[in-house]
């Protein structure tokens, strides 16, 4: 009997550890009872329960865009917005500082980063990239385990009416390796609430101990599970609610220390709860998704949704339903919160989500063009009353989805043709060439992430080449590092002999004027034209001229004309791809372009045979080019702002930019102060806010002479020369009588620029250092990166303010003071390394330096007081006798106390010591001998 019970419990433990997806036919009800409530009523019942019955304050959901949290791409849990409270860094002046018991429904996205469910969405019946987390919190010991468990049990069984015999609970069973005791308190609470001992299971660290990160607050958790089987056969348990009891802190050395204040943090997924209450086997069969699934069926030519998975889902039709329904919810929520599809970080993940949805909608469900955007109103109708930002931004959401969908449709067809053609040429055991997959993923306007290529290949039963992809990824990382801090690159170059041969043959310099052929559309986006050219010459990697190159060969292409910007003037080279004219399904990725004696050499990989004389069509990576344009215009504004702030004696000494950041070297009379750095940013922000036009024109070099305020570098310029002027037409700017160049940015520049300054968005100087005496190097970011940098700075400033308040309040004991000192040290490291405004970094560093000194002084005073108290205790305890020896244990100081009538020695040797009179005895203190730690030797 005991063995069978143990086996059953072991099976349940394995079931919980697996966190199984919903099983069985998705539309089969869990019970014969009709669905009790709609999802909106379930959500409302949760919130009103905690507000009306238990006095919780209802707080709105935070944006899914993390504010100042450097560790997250998206908000992925209800507790994210309350991290400052858990860490003790909440701004004492903020509203959050007064929170004691709160509840809410938090929008969460789990895609990319540490918690990534993107690849699982659609494959089963439960995973989502967007979901809602219902949670209640108690801060600072407002209530703890007993109240939290009782409230949860009351809500589930009395309000929602879930049968008690369908609920199981788990608790932390301890961990002997780390010395953590089992959470018997939680176990006993559940037993007292009437849960049978057979349905109360214990688990270890992985299942029932929750940690915020590598360091920080943590503690045991207890989970409530629902039995899908309902007593028929073996239990099938899914987690409903997780109650975390934060009572410990993980220190930097890995040790665990009790928190001075305890907190309760709970989370329950709304989608799963609604599935249980509506008697559904799948979260997709609830009314949170059924309107979307119905709209998808009505708008496509696909058969109705049947909830099938795996091999039963022929043609992956039901998987496509789930992908599209989930992804349009995620897209709508993210765009409403200001995360737009882009090329890095969270925007890149969102871009992948959008294009994954488009692909399933068009290729599997046979949806018409523009279909995805037509689902936005359904999402707004379903969620808009709870999250009004969806209603407010519904038109913008639909427009952005529609634009990106249209842009991806053409590239999807081309990418599919490239993959199909490549697969047809493979042998039965061949892997898909890494170069082809990489070229698709790196061509920004094609927008084919590797996971999408892999998904298409999976459908065809073809595998990618992982080793080849790893090699290409490493090469790309090296290239990015070189662009961040440019050095002399090794690569294809035309040496003096190759250039001489071209000149002997009478080959004219490359016509690169098409690089300036772009325009601003009424929608605000940029349109970049393609360029047709002829291959004049091919070069191998060692610079040898050849008539043709074969598949997989790296080569240099010399064309008669190009729309690629070759690296010069501090601007990074364009990248993109070219195709043969008339053969659009063979892609030749171009990694960079460089100027060699007036000729533009394109570095490319030949995915097929290519020869001299071929006609090709060139496509620049639009996102990459736009990023360079944004940074280059920002560089001009930065140059102007420095001139305005520091005076006419300020001179540019060099710059370099790519889509990630810009670097600017400037000659100054003295290092920039924090106030000057901040003033420079404000000047740039003003120019961006005014959204001024940017004028570009080629003029005779002589016309630029003697123009007051015109900025240029000490180098040779071509004639005619290109002039870039912000806010003022070039002709007016160059008129010496106008003085316009003294009032705005006017520079000689061959780079590509935005056509209006507003697209810069913002500029933040994130780094500053002296290169040489009189020359300062500045690093800056723009746009979304700048906004994130400001948010990180604000978040760290609030943490420093909270640390200041903690220090001013004083510490009760040495342990508390040491914890504060460590927190200040952690903050100092964070401020030193964070991407944040440099002026703010300097101010916080100065404040933290003072705080660290004060904290160390406070520790010494507390330790001294501790020693004195221990001394008095010893004197009272040993009032008589010739010699008494004892030790006082502290973390940073162990003091030995000798009270005498005899010689004061340690280990037989004289000791350096300080002495003072204490009553009628003489007390001597001295440090422990080398190597003695806390509680060290006591023998004399």
């Amino acid at each position: 009997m005991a063995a069978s019970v143990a086996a059953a419990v072991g099976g349940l433990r394995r079931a919980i550890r697996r966190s199984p997806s919903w099983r069985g036919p998705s539309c089969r009800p869990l019970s014969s009872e009709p669905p009790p409530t709609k999802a909106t009523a379930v959500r409302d019942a949760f919130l009103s329960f905690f507000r009306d019955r238990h006095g919780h304050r209802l707080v709105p959901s935070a944006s899914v865009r993390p504010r100042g949290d450097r560790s997250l791409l998206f908000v992925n849990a209800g507790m994210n917005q309350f991290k400052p409270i858990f860490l003790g860094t909440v701004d004492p002046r903020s509203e959050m500082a007064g929170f004691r018991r709160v509840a809410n429904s938090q929008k969460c996205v789990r895609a990319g980063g540490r918690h990534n469910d993107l690849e699982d969405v659609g494959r089963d019946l439960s995973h989502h990239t967007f979901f809602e987390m219902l949670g209640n919190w108690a801060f600072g010991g407002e209530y703890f385990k007993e109240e939290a468990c009782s409230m949860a049990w009351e809500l589930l069984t009395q309000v929602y009416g879930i049968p008690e015999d369908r609920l199981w609970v788990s608790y932390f069973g301890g961990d002997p390796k780390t010395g953590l005791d089992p959470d018997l308190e939680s176990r006993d609470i559940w037993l007292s609430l009437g849960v049978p001992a057979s349905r109360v299971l214990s688990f270890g660290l992985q299942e029932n101990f929750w940690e915020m990160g590598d360091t920080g607050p943590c503690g045991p958790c207890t989970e409530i599970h629902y039995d899908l089987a309902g007593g028929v056969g073996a239990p099938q348990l899914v987690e409903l609610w997780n109650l975390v009891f934060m009572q410990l802190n993980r220190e930097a050395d890995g040790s665990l220390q009790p928190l001075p204040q305890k907190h309760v943090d709970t989370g329950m997924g709304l989608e799963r709860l609604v599935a249980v209450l509506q008697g559904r086997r799948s979260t997709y069969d609830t009314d949170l998704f059924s309107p979307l699934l119905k709209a998808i069926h009505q708008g496509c030519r696909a058969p109705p949704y049947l909830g099938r998975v795996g091999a039963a889902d022929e043609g992956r039709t039901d998987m496509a339903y789930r992908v599209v329904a989930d992804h349009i919810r995620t897209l709508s929520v993210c765009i409403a919160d200001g995360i737009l599809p882009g090329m890095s970080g969270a925007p890149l993940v969102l871009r992948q989500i959008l294009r994954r949805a488009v692909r399933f909608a068009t290729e599997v469900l046979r949806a018409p063009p523009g279909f995805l955007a037509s689902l936005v109103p359904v999402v707004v109708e379903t969620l808009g009353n709870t999250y009004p930002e969806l209603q407010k931004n519904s038109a913008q959401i639909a427009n952005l989805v529609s634009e990106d969908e249209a842009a991806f449709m053409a590239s999807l067809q081309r990418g599919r043709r490239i993959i199909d053609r490549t697969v047809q040429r493979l042998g039965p055991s061949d892997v898909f060439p890494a170069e082809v997959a990489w070229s698709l993923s790196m061509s920004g306007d094609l927008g084919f992430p590797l996971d999408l290529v892999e998904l298409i290949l999976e459908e065809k039963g073809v595998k990618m080449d992982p080793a080849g992809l790893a090699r290409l990824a490493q090469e790309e990382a090296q290239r990015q590092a070189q662009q961040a801090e440019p050095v002399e690159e090794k690569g294809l170059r035309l040496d003096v002999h190759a250039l001489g041969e071209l000149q002997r043959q009478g080959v004219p310099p490359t016509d690169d004027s098409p690089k300036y052929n772009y325009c601003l559309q009424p929608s605000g986006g940029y349109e970049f034209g393609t360029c047709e050219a002829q291959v004049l010459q091919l070069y191998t990697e060692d610079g040898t001229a050849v008539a043709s190159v074969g598949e997989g060969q790296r080569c240099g292409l010399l064309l008669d004309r190009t729309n690629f910007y070759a690296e010069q003037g501090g601007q990074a080279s364009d990248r993109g791809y070219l195709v043969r004219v008339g053969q659009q399904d063979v892609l030749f990725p171009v990694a960079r372009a460089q100027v060699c004696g007036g000729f533009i050499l394109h570095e490319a990989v030949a995915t097929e045979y290519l020869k001299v004389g071929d006609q090709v069509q060139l496509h620049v990576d639009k996102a990459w080019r736009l990023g360079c344009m944004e940074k280059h215009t920002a560089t001009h504004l930065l140059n102007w702002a420095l001139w305005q702030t520091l005076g006419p004696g300020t001179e540019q000494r060099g710059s370099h930019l790519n889509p990630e950041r810009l670097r600017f070297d400037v000659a100054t009379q003295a290092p920039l102060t924090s106030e000057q750095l901040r003033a420079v940013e404000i000047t740039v922000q003003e120019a961006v806010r005014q959204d001024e036009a940017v004028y570009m024109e080629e003029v005779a070099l002589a016309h630029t002479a003697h123009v007051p305020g015109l900025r240029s570098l000490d180098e040779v310029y071509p004639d005619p020369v290109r002039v870039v002027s912000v806010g003022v037409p070039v002709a007016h700017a160059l008129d010496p009588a106008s003085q316009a160049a003294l009032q705005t940015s006017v520079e000689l520049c061959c780079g590509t620029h935005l056509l209006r300054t507003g697209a810069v968005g913002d500029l933040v100087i994130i780094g500053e250092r002296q290169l040489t005496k009189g020359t300062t190097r500045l690093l800056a970011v723009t746009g979304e990166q700048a906004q994130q940098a400001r948010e990180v700075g604000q978040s760290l400033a609030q943490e420093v303010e909270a640390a200041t308040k903690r220090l001013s309040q004083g510490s009760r004991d040495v342990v508390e003071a040491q914890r504060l000192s460590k927190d200040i040290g952690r903050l100092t490291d964070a401020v030193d390394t964070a991407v944040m405004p440099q002026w703010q970094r300097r101010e916080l560093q100065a404040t933290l330096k003072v705080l660290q000194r004060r904290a160390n002084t406070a520790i010494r005073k507390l330790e001294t007081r501790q020693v004195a108290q221990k001394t008095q205790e010893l004197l009272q305890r040993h009032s008589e006798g010739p010699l008494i020896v004892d030790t006082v244990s502290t973390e940073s100081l162990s003091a030995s106390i000798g009270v005498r009538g005899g010689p004061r020695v340690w280990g037989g040797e004289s000791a350096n010591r300080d002495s003072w009179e204490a009553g009628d005895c003489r007390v001597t203190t001295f440090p422990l001998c080398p190597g003695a730690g806390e509680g060290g030797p006591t023998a004399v």
Side-chain angles (χ1 to χ4, degrees):
M1 179 66 179
S4 62
V5 171
V9 171
L12 288 174
R13 286 176 173 164
R14 289 191 295 273
I16 293 178
R17 285 193 180 104
R18 285 195 301 267
S19 294
S21 303
W22 303 87
R23 294 198 172 101
S26 70
C27 294
R28 189 184 70 181
L30 294 171
S31 70
S32 58
E33 297 294 324
T37 51
K38 292 183 178 294
T40 54
V42 174
R43 187 193 299 111
D44 291 344
F46 178 91
L47 298 174
S48 61
F49 171 82
F50 282 101
R51 180 191 60 201
D52 301 337
R53 292 199 189 186
H54 297 287
H56 285 63
R57 175 176 182 170
L58 299 187
V59 297
S61 169
S63 165
V64 295
R65 182 177 180 276
R67 302 294 182 183
D69 192 330
R70 305 172 296 282
S71 65
L72 296 174
L73 285 173
F74 303 94
V75 165
N76 59 17
M79 54 72 60
N80 289 161
Q81 68 171 305
F82 304 117
K83 272 187 178 182
I85 299 178
F86 300 139
L87 293 170
T89 60
V90 63
D91 186 341
R93 300 165 299 183
S94 68
E95 182 183 31
M96 187 180 292
F99 287 177
R100 290 297 174 264
R101 54 174 72 194
V102 300
N104 83 341
S105 178
Q106 172 64 48
K107 299 174 294 185
C108 299
V109 173
R110 290 187 177 174
R114 183 177 179 183
H115 298 284
N116 185 8
D117 290 337
L118 181 57
E119 292 305 305
D120 295 317
V121 170
R123 299 179 185 272
D124 60 26
L125 300 173
S126 61
H127 276 95
H128 305 290
T129 52
F130 165 73
F131 65 97
E132 297 177 70
M133 183 73 82
L134 303 172
N136 63 287
W137 291 267
F139 304 118
E142 177 71 12
Y143 59 79
F144 206 49
K145 296 179 182 180
E146 183 174 2
E147 296 90 337
C149 293
S150 299
M151 291 176 192
W153 194 254
E154 178 187 2
L155 176 64
L156 293 178
T157 60
Q158 297 181 25
V159 177
Y160 289 137
I162 298 176
E164 293 185 9
D165 60 4
R166 300 286 288 267
L167 297 175
W168 296 63
V169 295
S170 62
Y171 69 95
F172 179 56
D175 186 71
K177 292 182 180 179
T178 58
L180 288 169
D181 295 328
D183 185 14
L184 301 181
E185 182 182 359
S186 291
R187 180 202 63 182
D188 293 342
I189 291 170
W190 290 120
L191 294 175
S192 70
L193 289 171
V195 184
S198 60
R199 296 207 304 274
V200 180
L201 306 179
S202 66
F203 292 96
L205 284 170
Q206 184 177 355
E207 297 86 1
N208 280 98
F209 193 88
W210 188 92
E211 301 200 44
M212 183 182 294
D214 294 334
T215 60
C218 55
C221 62
T222 183
E223 297 174 338
I224 305 174
H225 302 263
Y226 182 80
D227 180 11
L228 296 172
V232 180
Q236 298 178 31
L237 304 181
V238 293
E239 178 190 335
L240 269 189
W241 206 343
N242 187 10
L243 286 67
V244 179
F245 305 124
M246 294 190 189
Q247 59 192 65
L248 301 169
N249 191 74
R250 178 74 71 180
E251 304 291 338
D253 61 3
S255 64
L256 290 168
Q257 299 293 335
L259 282 173
Q261 291 187 321
K262 299 177 180 179
H263 312 286
V264 171
D265 164 26
T266 85
M268 176 165 55
L270 174 68
E271 289 77 7
R272 186 169 290 184
L273 174 64
V274 171
V276 166
L277 296 179
Q278 294 186 354
R280 302 300 179 186
R281 285 272 172 178
S282 165
T283 53
Y284 288 94
D285 290 328
T286 67
D287 64 334
L288 287 167
F289 286 91
S290 54
L292 276 169
L293 298 176
K294 181 180 179 181
I296 293 170
H297 176 57
Q298 291 175 343
C300 301
R301 297 185 295 275
Y305 177 71
L306 298 177
R308 299 165 299 181
V309 294
D313 183 17
E314 186 176 350
R316 296 191 175 187
T317 300
D318 290 346
M319 177 181 177
Y321 267 99
R322 291 187 289 269
V323 167
V324 173
D326 170 87
H327 287 8
I328 192 60
R329 281 169 32 110
T330 304
L331 288 163
S332 299
V333 167
C334 288
I335 294 173
D337 279 350
I339 304 176
L340 310 182
M343 293 304 295
S344 63
L348 176 60
V349 175
L350 197 66
R351 186 170 184 256
Q352 294 172 344
I353 290 172
L354 192 150
R355 299 195 163 193
R356 193 170 186 258
V358 171
R359 190 212 161 222
F360 274 98
T362 56
E363 293 198 344
V364 180
L365 299 175
R366 302 188 298 279
F371 169 72
L372 203 60
S374 72
L375 297 177
V376 172
V378 184
V379 177
V380 173
E381 185 178 353
T382 306
L383 299 174
N385 289 334
T386 305
Y387 307 112
E389 58 273 15
L390 284 166
Q391 296 175 334
K392 178 181 177 182
N393 299 295
S394 59
Q396 180 197 18
I397 298 168
N399 289 337
L400 280 170
V401 170
S402 180
E403 289 176 8
D404 212 293
E405 178 182 2
F408 184 51
M409 283 301 298
S411 60
L412 179 62
Q413 295 172 6
R414 172 177 289 179
R416 171 67 87 170
R417 289 198 305 268
I418 293 170
I419 293 173
D420 289 344
R421 177 185 174 90
T422 306
V423 169
Q424 289 171 5
R425 298 169 56 239
L426 297 177
S429 59
D430 290 345
V431 294
F432 193 82
E435 287 79 8
V436 177
W438 190 257
S439 67
L440 285 169
S441 69
M442 293 304 293
S443 299
D445 52 334
L446 274 182
F448 251 75
L450 287 173
D451 63 331
L452 182 53
V453 177
E454 191 170 15
L455 190 60
I456 295 174
L457 292 177
E458 181 184 324
E459 296 171 354
K460 298 177 177 293
V462 177
K463 294 184 178 180
M464 282 206 288
D465 174 13
L469 287 173
R471 172 179 54 81
L472 292 170
Q474 183 177 9
E475 292 175 0
E476 175 64 18
Q478 292 172 347
R479 184 179 294 110
Q480 294 281 9
Q482 288 171 339
Q483 287 169 343
E485 201 65 43
V487 296
E488 186 67 22
E489 291 188 56
K490 295 180 180 179
L492 289 166
R493 287 194 176 277
L494 297 181
D495 61 20
V496 63
H497 303 292
L499 290 172
E501 180 62 22
L502 290 172
Q503 292 166 358
R504 187 187 66 78
Q505 295 176 6
V507 178
T510 309
D511 175 15
D512 65 346
S513 60
K515 67 188 179 187
Y516 297 125
N517 293 342
Y518 57 90
C519 62
L520 187 59
Q521 297 176 310
S523 63
Y526 281 81
E527 179 65 30
F528 298 91
T530 59
C531 173
E532 290 196 5
Q534 183 180 25
V535 179
L536 299 181
Q537 188 61 64
L538 293 165
Y539 297 90
T540 61
E541 285 190 270
D542 62 4
T544 303
V546 293
S548 63
V549 291
E551 179 180 345
Q553 189 172 352
R554 292 183 177 276
C555 62
L557 292 92
L558 189 62
L559 310 173
D560 60 343
R561 61 199 308 264
T562 183
N563 59 345
F564 274 64
Y565 184 89
E567 181 159 352
Q568 55 187 318
Q571 179 175 329
S573 160
D574 276 340
R575 65 185 190 183
Y577 64 93
L578 58 87
V579 296
R580 288 195 193 92
V581 173
Q583 191 180 44
Q584 299 293 309
D585 54 352
V586 180
L587 214 76
F588 297 84
V590 178
R592 63 188 283 233
Q594 55 180 312
V595 182
C596 301
F599 299 98
I600 308 296
L601 188 66
H602 304 73
E603 269 187 45
V605 176
T607 48
E608 281 195 12
Y609 178 79
L610 188 67
K611 67 181 187 302
V612 171
D614 281 348
Q615 294 292 127
V616 295
Q617 187 179 68
L618 293 91
H619 300 258
V620 298
D621 183 329
K622 297 175 183 177
W624 180 272
R625 163 70 80 83
L626 189 58
C628 288
M629 289 163 53
E630 177 185 304
K631 295 296 186 297
H632 208 149
T633 301
T635 300
H636 282 213
L637 296 178
L638 176 61
N639 191 9
W640 158 249
L642 286 164
W643 194 81
Q644 284 287 96
T645 303
L646 304 179
T650 305
E651 293 185 8
Q652 179 180 348
R653 287 288 183 260
S655 66
H656 189 272
L657 62 99
N658 61 39
E660 292 301 314
R661 63 181 57 185
L662 66 89
R663 185 200 72 198
F664 192 86
D665 298 340
V666 59
T668 60
Q669 299 297 322
L672 278 72
T673 65
S674 298
E675 293 76 14
Q676 288 171 331
L677 289 169
R678 191 171 189 179
V680 167
E681 290 185 2
I682 292 173
T683 301
V684 174
Q685 285 178 312
E686 179 61 21
V688 171
R689 186 189 64 79
Q690 292 179 4
D691 191 25
E692 296 180 298
V694 179
Y695 299 93
M696 289 163 279
E697 186 178 331
E698 284 192 348
V699 300
L701 186 59
H703 290 170
T704 67
H706 312 300
V707 177
L710 177 68
R711 279 161 293 285
S712 61
L713 291 173
D714 184 18
E715 61 182 44
V716 177
Y717 287 94
D719 192 4
V721 67
R722 194 169 180 83
V723 178
V724 179
S725 174
V726 175
V728 178
V730 172
H732 181 62
L734 296 182
D735 183 355
S738 74
Q739 302 289 300
L742 294 171
Q743 309 300 322
T744 188
S745 170
V746 183
E747 293 194 34
L748 305 183
C749 179
C750 64
T752 58
H753 286 267
L754 298 171
L755 299 179
R756 301 199 70 87
T757 61
V760 172
D762 192 4
L763 180 140
V764 170
I765 299 170
I766 61 170
E768 173 260 352
R769 66 183 176 93
Q770 293 295 113
L771 285 182
T772 59
K773 185 177 181 180
T775 303
T776 299
R777 171 162 292 178
L778 304 176
L779 295 179
V781 292
T782 62
E784 175 73 14
Q785 292 170 300
Q787 185 177 356
Q788 291 175 349
R790 293 198 188 282
E791 290 171 357
V792 168
Q794 182 62 28
S795 175
L796 287 171
Q798 291 175 355
E799 291 191 44
V800 172
E801 176 68 22
T804 303
K805 182 178 180 182
R806 288 169 62 192
L807 190 59
S808 65
Q809 291 173 340
S811 299
R812 292 170 295 181
D813 52 40
V814 173
V815 173
E816 185 178 339
Q818 289 168 340
R819 179 178 292 121
L820 175 56
S821 178
K822 289 179 180 178
D823 288 344
I824 293 172
R826 176 188 60 80
L827 260 179
T828 299
D829 292 339
V831 168
D832 289 345
T833 59
V835 177
M836 63 180 293
Q838 181 69 7
W839 64 264
Q840 191 175 31
R841 188 196 319 276
R842 284 187 183 174
E843 292 181 356
L844 295 183
Q845 285 172 332
T847 301
L848 286 166
K849 189 175 182 179
V850 173
L851 292 182
Q852 192 70 72
R853 284 200 302 265
R854 289 176 55 193
N856 293 340
T857 299
I859 291 173
R860 287 194 296 270
K861 288 181 177 179
L862 286 168
E863 288 176 339
T864 301
R865 187 183 308 159
Q866 187 181 61
V867 170
Q869 290 173 349
K870 181 66 174 177
T871 301
Q872 292 301 324
E873 293 174 6
L874 292 174
L875 291 173
Q876 293 173 7
R877 201 164 65 237
H878 305 287
S879 58
E880 297 179 0
L883 178 66
I884 304 163
V885 177
D886 206 338
T887 60
V888 176
S889 299
T890 67
E891 185 161 310
S892 61
L893 170 70
S894 291
S896 175
I897 313 300
V899 183
R900 93 144 283 220
R904 299 179 291 278
V905 296
W906 177 271
E909 298 181 3
S910 298
N912 295 325
R913 57 202 178 241
D914 295 322
S915 302
W916 71 91
E917 297 294 332
D920 57 355
C921 300
R922 191 167 185 83
V923 181
T924 301
T925 68
F926 47 88
L928 285 177
C929 59
E934 181 179 345
T938 59
V940 174

